[in-house]
Amino acid sequence: MDDFESPALGLDLPEPPPPAGSAAYRVLARKYRPQTFSELIGQDAMVKTLGNAIARGRIAHAFLLTGVRGVGKTSTARLIAKALNCIGPDGTGGPTIDPCNMCEPCRAIAEGRHIDVIEMDAASHTGVDDVREIIEAVRYASVSARYKIYIIDEVHMLSKNAFNALLKTLEEPPEHVKFLFATTEVNKVPVTVLSRCQRFDLRRIPAEKLAEHFAHVAGLEQVRVEPEAVAMIARAAEGSARDGLSILDQAIAHGGGDVTAEQVRDMLGLADRGRIRRLLDLVLAGDATQALAELDEAHDLGIDPAGLLRGLMESLHSVTRTKAGAPADALSSAEQRQSAEELAQRLGWGQIHRLWQMLLKGLQDVQVAPDPQEAATMSLLRLIHAADLPDPATLMRKLTADAAGGTASPAERAQPGVSTAISKLPNDFKALIAAIEGSGKHLLAQQLHDHVGLVQFAPPELILKPMRPLGPDFARDLAAAMQGATATKWQVSLSDGPSEPSLLDQEKMAEERARDSVLADPNVKAVLEAFPDASLESYISGAA
């Protein structure tokens, strides 16, 4: 939430007076910028730490504030500047976590005109010369404030030379100087700088707190906003108070004073929750015709295809949380919670994970496709044809139950597409390796083929002798892979006793025997004697 900045100096200046005869309007993001720490939402841990540090006189000489956009980094920096320089209404106060906002330093800092609080935008002042000006200026005492404070926004934009020039001053600044750095990309700040700062990671603001804040702002603005509209704005803000207030500002203008969920949905190009639920039900029911009709209708209404897929992913995520027993989203309606509970009982974990992965792939396709609507259509069709397929674990349990003459559970019998074919455990070690290969565990299959000798094969028990180092978790990983491939729990152990050669060695020995047999053939011997420089390069088994 950055105030107006001079493009030439990078300093926050007082707002210019409005033109004569016009009323000044301040956007909500600036009008409701926090003026006290109590108004800073979602950062209680940081406020508590700062309060304790100020109360005990343990104030660091440099602070680094990091977090996503719009969580209050610059606002916090200004609040710290006020807290350190506040003198109270009577002019006798000291540093406090509750600045009075009445004394001259508090008012001047809030208005961006205090001569001892210097704000610099590192994005437009990246060079060493800009930092050199700071280094020269810090030697001089503050003009009127208790501390001379430098607020450098987006500090990660400084050049390497600029950081290096700042290091010494940053490590041992004069007692009257404090540095406040703000950045959205802390990973780009050199470690040498990080080690000289007290770091605060500002949290992404929870959606429910944003919704409360936006509802409060709407009340102060005397604007009627539907609760669902507030929830939609809070979700769209993605943890940023500034972004959410900007959306609310736009929604107020869009609605002419009143803000409804329908208006916000149209403004943001979102699909309503009812449409998302209907579409998800159609996908799970395998109704391609109606699902595509719903998709076409959403397209005609101007709903972004990517937004539609994100809505499906959000609904599926709610189902996942419900199935795992996690608390429901505080902003979700009773209908949404009921739908999530129904689907959580209806869908297995395998189906949920498969649908999620396919939606994620579909979203990526939509974002790169020349025609997003066509990509969304193909993604929905893939979902429809995959929605009723059983997951591999359910299929293997069914096959094993049928092979044993048993019966599957009601949930497994309800799974469409489950074959009733008879299956049984592998007959030999080679068949076991083939089953593991078929389940996708290619590395394990290769290790079994090349690097182990068979000691005992007695399903469901397997004893192997490693011919090469295989890692400490080999037996555990192999047992898990065998259970997944055969739907049977195996006991796997490793031994140093006598064993068969590895299958790879057996194949090599068989090849050598076959080669020796060919070379022993009288006709081959005659050819080799007639042509001494000739050699056997290859042969065809069984050739006459």
Side-chain angles (χ1 to χ4, degrees):
M1 304 179 188
D2 300 326
D3 282 341
F4 174 81
E5 294 184 352
S6 165
L9 300 177
L11 306 179
D12 277 7
L13 301 176
E15 294 184 29
S22 67
Y25 174 71
R26 302 181 70 197
V27 296
L28 298 182
R30 298 186 62 189
K31 184 176 181 180
Y32 293 98
R33 181 191 292 273
Q35 297 301 318
T36 64
F37 282 104
S38 61
E39 296 176 3
L40 192 66
I41 59 176
Q43 312 300 340
D44 298 340
M46 182 201 66
V47 173
K48 181 178 180 180
T49 302
L50 280 174
N52 292 337
I54 292 174
R56 291 170 171 79
R58 304 176 63 89
I59 304 172
H61 60 273
F63 297 89
L64 178 71
L65 307 170
T66 180
V68 298
R69 71 193 186 283
V71 294
K73 297 182 297 296
T74 306
S75 295
T76 300
R78 292 175 182 172
L79 289 175
I80 294 175
K82 285 198 293 186
L84 297 182
N85 283 326
C86 178
I87 59 176
D90 58 359
T92 61
T96 174
I97 195 64
D98 296 310
C100 66
N101 285 324
M102 298 173 60
C103 64
E104 176 56 25
C106 283
R107 294 201 309 272
I109 293 171
E111 295 168 7
R113 57 180 175 82
H114 201 296
I115 193 171
D116 291 320
V117 178
I118 302 97
E119 294 194 29
M120 186 180 87
D121 174 24
S124 55
H125 296 77
T126 62
V128 67
D129 291 337
D130 300 302
V131 172
R132 190 173 291 120
E133 292 180 9
I134 296 176
I135 296 172
E136 292 295 326
V138 297
R139 297 183 300 173
Y140 302 103
S142 57
V143 176
S144 62
R146 184 179 296 112
Y147 294 104
K148 179 181 285 190
I149 294 177
Y150 289 91
I151 300 175
I152 303 181
D153 200 9
E154 299 301 338
V155 69
H156 67 274
M157 299 291 287
L158 290 179
S159 67
K160 181 178 179 181
N161 289 337
F163 274 123
N164 290 336
L166 187 61
L167 282 179
K168 186 62 177 178
T169 302
L170 187 60
E171 186 170 14
E172 298 179 1
E175 292 294 329
H176 62 274
V177 174
K178 302 292 181 185
F179 288 97
L180 303 177
F181 301 138
T183 178
T184 54
E185 300 184 49
V186 70
N187 58 301
K188 294 184 179 180
V189 179
V191 176
T192 49
V193 173
L194 293 175
S195 64
R196 291 164 168 83
C197 300
Q198 189 171 101
R199 173 174 168 176
F200 289 103
D201 290 82
L202 276 67
R203 294 185 171 188
R204 189 185 296 270
I205 306 172
E208 54 269 22
K209 288 193 175 183
L210 284 177
E212 294 176 5
H213 180 57
F214 298 156
H216 176 67
V217 169
L220 295 176
E221 292 290 309
Q222 298 182 344
V223 174
R224 187 171 59 85
V225 182
E226 292 182 356
E228 186 180 353
V230 172
M232 293 168 65
I233 294 173
R235 289 192 184 94
E238 296 182 343
S240 169
R242 180 179 61 213
D243 288 5
L245 287 174
S246 297
I247 296 173
L248 178 60
D249 222 341
Q250 181 182 355
I252 293 173
H254 182 80
D258 291 343
V259 179
T260 65
E262 188 66 27
Q263 291 167 348
V264 173
R265 191 176 297 117
D266 292 342
M267 184 184 75
L268 298 178
L270 300 176
D272 63 88
R273 299 289 167 181
R275 183 181 301 278
I276 293 293
R277 288 197 298 273
R278 289 197 304 273
L279 187 56
L280 185 57
D281 287 340
L282 290 171
V283 166
L284 295 176
D287 193 336
T289 302
Q290 289 300 319
L292 294 186
E294 192 76 34
L295 181 64
D296 291 339
E297 182 180 344
H299 183 259
D300 294 338
L301 293 173
I303 297 173
D304 179 29
L308 196 67
L309 292 185
R310 279 194 292 267
L312 288 172
M313 294 180 72
E314 187 177 331
S315 292
L316 199 60
H317 181 254
S318 299
V319 173
T320 307
R321 288 181 59 86
T322 301
K323 192 173 183 68
D329 183 357
L331 297 179
S332 61
S333 65
E335 292 181 354
Q336 292 169 350
R337 288 193 289 270
Q338 181 180 355
S339 175
E341 290 172 359
E342 292 174 354
L343 290 177
Q345 296 176 359
R346 175 178 164 192
L347 299 178
W349 283 114
Q351 286 179 290
I352 292 176
H353 296 323
R354 184 168 62 250
L355 290 172
W356 174 267
Q357 291 297 329
M358 297 184 72
L359 279 171
L360 185 61
K361 178 63 169 62
L363 181 60
Q364 295 170 349
D365 292 346
V366 167
Q367 291 170 339
V368 300
D371 189 331
Q373 180 67 8
E374 290 181 357
T377 299
M378 299 305 296
S379 298
L380 278 187
L381 289 175
R382 285 199 300 269
L383 283 173
I384 289 170
H385 288 99
D388 61 349
L389 294 179
D391 59 272
T394 301
L395 180 60
M396 291 306 301
R397 285 197 300 270
K398 175 63 178 174
L399 294 176
T400 304
D402 289 343
T407 57
S409 67
E412 292 167 349
R413 289 197 302 270
Q415 287 276 6
V418 177
S419 172
T420 58
I422 303 278
S423 176
K424 54 185 178 181
L425 292 176
N427 293 324
D428 54 28
F429 188 45
K430 289 184 179 180
L432 174 63
I433 294 177
I436 293 175
E437 177 76 25
S439 68
K441 303 295 184 180
H442 307 296
L443 178 59
L444 276 174
Q446 182 182 359
Q447 289 176 319
L448 288 176
H449 182 274
D450 297 352
H451 304 323
V452 302
L454 179 63
V455 177
Q456 181 178 353
F457 180 80
E461 182 181 3
L462 181 66
I463 304 177
L464 302 171
K465 178 180 180 179
M467 303 298 188
R468 294 184 183 179
L470 297 173
D473 299 328
F474 175 76
R476 184 190 65 185
D477 295 342
L478 177 59
M482 292 164 63
Q483 182 174 353
T486 65
T488 302
K489 187 173 181 179
W490 287 71
Q491 180 180 349
V492 178
S493 56
L494 304 180
S495 170
D496 292 330
S499 72
E500 296 179 2
S502 70
L503 291 181
L504 178 62
D505 289 339
Q506 293 181 39
E507 292 170 359
K508 288 181 179 179
M509 289 187 289
E511 185 178 348
E512 286 296 323
R513 288 194 298 269
R515 181 183 179 86
D516 292 342
S517 176
V518 172
L519 291 174
D521 185 271
N523 294 323
V524 175
K525 280 185 176 182
V527 171
L528 292 176
E529 290 173 357
F531 300 93
D533 295 332
S535 62
L536 179 64
E537 296 295 330
S538 63
Y539 60 90
I540 301 175
S541 178

